[in-house]
Amino acid sequence: VTYSSGAVVTMPAQWSIDRPDVAGLGSGGVVTPTAGVYGKTNVTAKAAGLSAATTVTVKLALVLHDPSIPTVNEGKLTGATAPDPGVTGLAYPYDQTVFPLGLLPPEIQGNGGAAGDQYLLHLSAPNLDLQVFTKADPPSRYTLTQALWNTLTATSAAASTTASLNRLSGGNAYVSAKQTWKIANADLRGIIYYWAINQGQIIQIDLATGMRSPVFASGPNTSLGTPTPLNSGTPNSPPWEDNGAGLRCVACHSVSKDGSTLTSVFSRSNPGSTGPVGVVGLSTGSISVISDYTTNAIYDALSPDGTFAVANYAAKTMGLLASASATPLASTLDGQSNMCDPTFSPDGKLFAYASNCDPGFGYPVEFRTSNLSLYSFSNAAPYFSSPATVLTSAGLGDAIAFPSFSPDSKWIFYQRGDYSRAKYNDSTATPTHGSDDIYIAAAQAGAAQIALPNLNGAGVLSASNQHLNYAPTVNPIAVGGYFWVVFTSPRDYGNEMVAPGTTQPNDQTYANRKQLWVGAVDANVGGSDPSHPAFWLPGQDGTTANMFGYWALAPCKQTPVDGGTATCTAGFECCSGFCENGRCASQTGGCSNVGDKCKTTADCCTTGGSNIACIGGFCEPMQPQ
C-alpha cells in the first residue's frame, strides 16, 4: 500500500474469488484451478479500506491419444480439408440440439465409415478445446467419459460447443461432419417415470446417474394383493393381467408435480389393459390404495400435490377421485361423454382434456377427431367450471390428444395428427400407423396453434422418420430459460436402432421400439418455432418399448435444521425451496435467487437482470441464457 507520503507498506489482504467451481484461492492470492470447470473468475483483494480486482481466465486444452494411431496420421487428421465422400454427417446427435447439465453423455454416432478408419473428434467451446483421436469401426460410435462430459457442459453452460469430425481412410483424410450444440445453463437432475410397455411395469430413471429401477413392486397377478381394491366383489381368476413374469401388469400412469404421488392403472385379467387406479406414495414406493376393482380405467391424471386424481375410463368418460381413499367425488365430469386424455396444470387451476374424442376403430383409447378443451379447477365442489375450447378439430383425421401444460400453466403442449395412437387397425383391420407431431398453444379459448418443426425433427430426419411424435409431457420446472418436453417416438436412434425398411412391417413404427426423446423449447414462446432438435433420453432401456415419460422433481431434501445434510444446486431440490451455498436452507430474508421458491416475480433477485421471473413457483430466466 502506497500512502500519500510516499511510504510503501506491505500488509495482509482479504482475498475472495467469485467462481470457486473454476478455481480455489490460497493465501497471498494464489489461484489454483479446480480442473473440473473452466472459465473466467474475478479475484478481489481488500486491505486498509481499499480494494482491487482482476479477472483470471482458466482454460483447458486437452488431447486424448489412441496409442495405435501414429503421430503422422494425427497430423493428417488435423490438417484435413477435403469433404468426406463416405461420412457426410453425424447420425446422432442432431445439429443445433440443446443439451442440459446433469445428464449422461450422448453417444456420438456416424455412418459410412470402414473398418480400421481413424477419427479426430474435436470439441471446441469457450475456454475449452478437446481433441480425441480414436478408432470406431462400423457402426461407428464414441462416448465421452462422464467426467469429461460434465466438464464440457459445465464450462459451456449458456454457450455453444462446436463438434467436428475428421476421418482418415485408405491414407486419405477428410472433413466428415460439423455441428453446433447449445449447452443450457440448466441442471435437469430429477426423476423420469415411464411405462415399459412390454414389461408391464412403471420404471424410474435417476437422471443424474442413469440408474433404472421399478417404481414399486406390483405384486403377483394371481391374488388381489394388499391393499385390497375397493368393491372387489368376485374377482376374475386370476384377478390381474399377467405382465409376462407372473406380476400384476400396470399400465398408463401419472405423477404429481411435487413428486409425492403416482397413480397407475392396474390391469384386470378380464378385460385386459383396463382396471382400477392404484395410488403409490413415491417416498416409500408402496401402494396406498386401489380404486373400485370393477371399473375400466385406461388413463389417469393427478393434481399438482397429489390430492385429486381423474380416472379416464374405457367408455371415454371421466371421474374425479380423492387420492387418499381412491373414492369417487361428485363433479361436473359425471355424465359427460367422449372425454379423453386428462391433465392438470402445474398451478392446479386448470384442467385440460381431449373433448369430442370419437370415433376410433374399436379400441377404447383410439379416436380420429377431438378438440382441445379446458376447465377451471378448484379444490372444492363443483371442482370443474368455466368450460372453454382451446382448439377445434377439422373433423375425421384431425385428432388433438395428450395435452400437457408448461411450468407456468400458460401454454399447452399436445399431439395432433390423423389418429390418437401410433399403431392401430383401420376399418379393414389393416395395421397402420399414425402421422402425428407435437404443437403448442396458449391455455385459453380460441388460441392460435404454434408448430414445433425443430422438436419434431424436420430437417434432420428422413421422410419415413418424420411425423412419429406422440404423448408429450413437460418438466414441471422451467430451467435455463427453456421448457423441457419429453415425448414418445419410434424414430430411428442414430445407428443404435434402425428400421430395416420404410414400409410395414419393416418401417420405424412396427420394427423399432418406442423410445423417450427430450427437446428444449424457449420459455419466451413467440409466434415462430421456439423449439430445438430433441435428444434421446439417456438411461432408458433401449431394449424395451417406452412411453409416457412423466418428469417430476426428485423427493425434496431437508434443510440441516430438519436433519438434512444433502447438497443442492437449486432451491427446487429442497423441501424449503431454498438453496444457499450448495446446501438446502430456510429463507433468512431477502430476494430469491435463480432456482429458489417465489410467489411473484417481485420475490426474485435482480442480479440476473429483468430476464428473471417467477415461473411455476420458482425464479428462473424467461429466455435462454
Side-chain angles (χ1 to χ4, degrees):
V1 176
T2 302
Y3 289 90
S4 57
S5 64
V8 178
V9 178
T10 299
M11 61 177 61
Q14 294 177 326
W15 294 90
S16 62
I17 191 167
D18 69 345
R19 288 286 305 276
D21 58 330
V22 170
L25 191 63
S27 61
V30 177
V31 173
T32 303
T34 62
V37 179
Y38 299 86
K40 294 183 178 181
T41 180
N42 295 312
V43 178
T44 303
K46 293 183 179 180
L50 303 173
S51 66
T54 191
T55 298
V56 176
T57 302
V58 184
K59 299 183 177 182
L60 173 68
L62 178 64
V63 180
L64 301 181
H65 302 274
D66 183 328
S68 68
I69 298 178
T71 302
V72 65
N73 287 2
E74 290 186 353
K76 291 180 179 180
L77 284 164
T78 302
T81 58
D84 195 328
V87 180
T88 57
L90 295 179
Y92 180 84
Y94 307 138
D95 189 29
Q96 302 301 318
T97 297
V98 177
F99 287 106
L101 310 175
L103 301 189
L104 301 181
E107 185 177 60
I108 300 169
Q109 305 171 31
N111 296 325
D117 285 355
Q118 300 168 11
Y119 293 89
L120 166 60
L121 174 64
H122 187 189
L123 300 175
S124 179
N127 306 307
L128 185 147
D129 189 88
L130 172 63
Q131 297 183 72
V132 180
F133 293 95
T134 187
K135 293 179 178 178
D137 290 345
S140 300
R141 301 163 187 161
Y142 181 82
T143 305
L144 292 175
T145 65
Q146 185 69 60
L148 271 179
W149 179 250
N150 289 346
T151 294
L152 172 67
T153 53
T155 299
S156 307
S160 295
T161 293
T162 299
S164 61
L165 185 71
N166 294 354
R167 182 174 70 109
L168 182 67
S169 182
N172 297 314
Y174 305 104
V175 176
S176 306
K178 188 173 184 179
Q179 291 188 353
T180 299
W181 306 329
K182 177 69 181 290
I183 308 300
N185 190 16
D187 196 319
L188 293 188
R189 279 180 272 188
I191 296 176
I192 281 184
Y193 302 89
Y194 70 89
W195 178 32
I197 301 172
N198 46 312
Q199 292 182 355
Q201 297 290 287
I202 309 300
I203 304 296
Q204 62 184 1
I205 302 176
D206 185 320
L207 296 178
T209 64
M211 296 297 293
R212 201 171 52 242
S213 60
V215 177
F216 60 93
S218 64
N221 76 305
T222 53
S223 64
L224 277 177
T226 303
T228 303
L230 304 182
N231 190 25
S232 57
T234 303
N236 300 322
S237 182
W240 306 105
E241 187 175 1
D242 188 347
N243 77 330
L247 300 177
R248 289 191 285 192
C249 183
V250 291
C252 301
H253 65 290
S254 183
V255 179
S256 62
K257 173 188 173 179
D258 64 2
S260 66
T261 310
L262 177 145
T263 52
S264 181
V265 173
F266 281 63
S267 300
R268 293 197 315 275
S269 59
N270 184 26
S273 301
T274 65
V277 173
V279 181
V280 178
L282 290 174
S283 62
T284 61
S286 61
I287 306 166
S288 59
V289 66
I290 299 177
S291 70
D292 187 337
Y293 178 80
T294 65
T295 56
N296 296 323
I298 50 176
Y299 294 125
D300 48 88
L302 270 168
S303 64
D305 62 359
T307 300
F308 299 97
V310 167
N312 189 183
Y313 300 111
K316 295 179 181 174
T317 59
M318 291 184 186
L320 182 66
L321 305 176
S323 299
S325 60
T327 53
L329 297 170
S331 78
T332 307
L333 302 181
D334 298 340
Q336 297 197 51
S337 60
N338 292 333
M339 303 179 75
C340 302
D341 305 343
T343 188
F344 287 90
S345 63
D347 64 5
K349 296 179 180 180
L350 294 172
F351 175 81
Y353 64 102
S355 62
N356 192 34
C357 52
D358 194 64
F361 290 117
Y363 197 67
V365 297
E366 297 179 353
F367 49 92
R368 288 176 284 161
T369 181
S370 57
N371 303 327
L372 177 59
S373 295
L374 279 175
Y375 274 113
S376 294
F377 180 78
S378 65
N379 293 337
Y383 302 106
F384 301 93
S385 62
S386 305
T389 300
V390 180
L391 294 164
T392 302
S393 169
L396 288 181
D398 182 24
I400 306 170
F402 297 110
S404 181
F405 285 90
S406 62
D408 58 7
S409 302
K410 295 180 179 179
W411 301 90
I412 303 176
F413 291 83
Y414 52 92
Q415 161 196 326
R416 188 170 193 172
D418 61 0
Y419 213 78
S420 60
R421 291 221 302 168
K423 294 180 183 178
Y424 63 95
N425 293 334
D426 66 15
S427 58
T428 64
T430 301
T432 186
H433 69 80
S435 177
D436 291 82
D437 281 317
I438 311 300
Y439 297 86
I440 187 174
Q444 59 190 38
Q449 175 171 277
I450 299 174
L452 304 174
N454 290 329
L455 181 78
N456 291 311
V460 298
L461 296 178
S462 66
S464 61
N465 277 284
Q466 294 191 40
H467 312 302
L468 304 177
N469 307 297
Y470 307 95
T473 60
V474 187
N475 185 341
I477 302 297
V479 191
Y482 298 98
F483 302 147
W484 298 90
V485 183
V486 186
F487 62 96
T488 300
S489 179
R491 64 171 70 175
D492 291 341
Y493 166 38
N495 56 32
E496 281 278 7
M497 184 172 64
V498 182
T502 58
T503 58
Q504 295 181 33
N506 296 317
D507 63 327
Q508 283 78 11
T509 299
Y510 283 86
N512 286 345
R513 297 170 296 278
K514 294 176 182 176
Q515 297 284 281
L516 299 176
W517 292 76
V518 180
V521 177
D522 298 348
N524 57 334
V525 179
S528 58
D529 182 9
S531 70
H532 304 269
F535 58 88
W536 181 82
L537 176 68
Q540 67 183 307
D541 187 347
T543 67
T544 62
N546 308 322
M547 284 191 68
F548 299 127
Y550 279 90
W551 206 321
L553 301 177
C556 65
K557 302 173 182 178
Q558 298 292 337
T559 60
V561 295
D562 297 319
T565 58
T567 59
C568 56
T569 60
F572 57 74
E573 298 176 31
C574 305
C575 299
S576 64
F578 298 95
C579 179
E580 300 292 339
N581 299 317
R583 292 192 177 277
C584 295
S586 300
Q587 187 179 25
T588 56
C591 58
S592 297
N593 293 315
V594 170
D596 283 350
K597 186 168 66 173
C598 57
K599 292 183 178 179
T600 68
T601 296
D603 296 334
C604 302
C605 300
T606 57
T607 32
S610 58
N611 179 40
I612 306 301
C614 187
I615 304 176
F618 295 95
C619 295
E620 292 292 344
M622 293 186 295
Q623 60 188 31
Q625 296 177 303

